[in-house]
Amino acid sequence: MNEKEEYKLNTRGIRPTAMRILVLKYLTNLRHTTSLLDLETHFITSDRSTLFRTLKTFEEKGIIHKIDDGTGVIKYGLCTETCDCSLKEQHFHFYCEKCTETFCLNHVKIPFLELPKNFILKQSNLVLKGVCSNCN
Ligand SMILES: [Zn+2]
Ligand SMILES: [Zn+2]
Ligand SMILES: [Zn+2]
């Protein structure tokens, strides 16, 4: 029943513990991104540091990526199967002003930007704002 999650964790070099499987499952079923607070509310019996460590491990191994959507709360989005978290994987995010959730627009990639000479792009936090399809 947990085969998909176990496989995904294994291929990313993460030992599939019960907690990690549960968190991954939760993230997979979620349409929007998550935050530590969101996980704490959902996994009420787990302690904060365990959840935080799970997020950290997932981030380090490329299961999720961190998003700064300008709300002051760090959000985490699920990476696609083939994501290597490189620049070419960077995509726009969408913040819904109604439900205050942030979504990964995995298919809306950040276009190639011509930067001034000797400027090196490392990361981009491009967040679109509006109303999502659930709220519209
Ligand atoms: Zn990624
Ligand atoms: Zn919404
Ligand atoms: Zn994303």
Side-chain angles (χ1 to χ4, degrees):
M1 206 182 124
N2 293 324
E3 273 166 32
K4 249 175 55 195
E5 286 77 19
E6 277 186 40
Y7 176 79
K8 189 162 183 179
L9 291 169
N10 277 323
T11 54
R12 296 278 181 171
I14 305 171
R15 199 163 49 85
T17 62
M19 188 70 219
R20 287 166 178 169
I21 290 171
L22 280 175
V23 174
L24 181 57
K25 215 175 215 161
Y26 174 69
L27 294 177
T28 311
N29 293 328
L30 209 62
R31 282 195 58 224
H32 50 75
T33 59
T34 191
S35 64
L36 181 57
L37 185 68
D38 183 38
L39 286 186
E40 281 182 78
T41 320
H42 187 78
F43 296 99
I44 204 103
T45 54
S46 308
D47 64 280
R48 183 166 220 247
S49 60
T50 308
L51 293 168
F52 182 73
R53 276 202 314 270
T54 305
L55 285 174
K56 267 268 97 16
T57 307
F58 281 10
E59 192 198 346
E60 279 163 16
K61 302 287 186 180
I63 293 248
I64 56 174
H65 55 279
K66 219 188 239 175
I67 303 142
D68 175 2
D69 61 5
T71 59
V73 177
I74 294 172
K75 306 282 170 66
Y76 298 90
L78 196 65
C79 288
T80 57
E81 293 300 323
T82 54
C83 182
D84 59 3
C85 293
S86 63
L87 267 186
K88 69 166 176 44
E89 298 288 348
Q90 295 200 12
H91 47 265
F92 280 91
H93 289 99
F94 190 97
Y95 174 76
C96 174
E97 292 171 333
K98 272 203 179 154
C99 62
T100 70
E101 296 293 355
T102 296
F103 299 79
C104 278
L105 304 182
N106 283 312
H107 300 293
V108 190
K109 297 273 189 235
I110 294 175
F112 172 76
L113 303 166
E114 190 133 358
L115 295 176
K117 200 173 183 292
N118 295 327
F119 280 68
I120 300 166
L121 182 70
K122 293 248 170 122
Q123 202 206 330
S124 46
N125 275 320
L126 293 169
V127 182
L128 307 171
K129 288 188 181 175
V131 181
C132 78
S133 61
N134 299 334
C135 298
N136 185 4

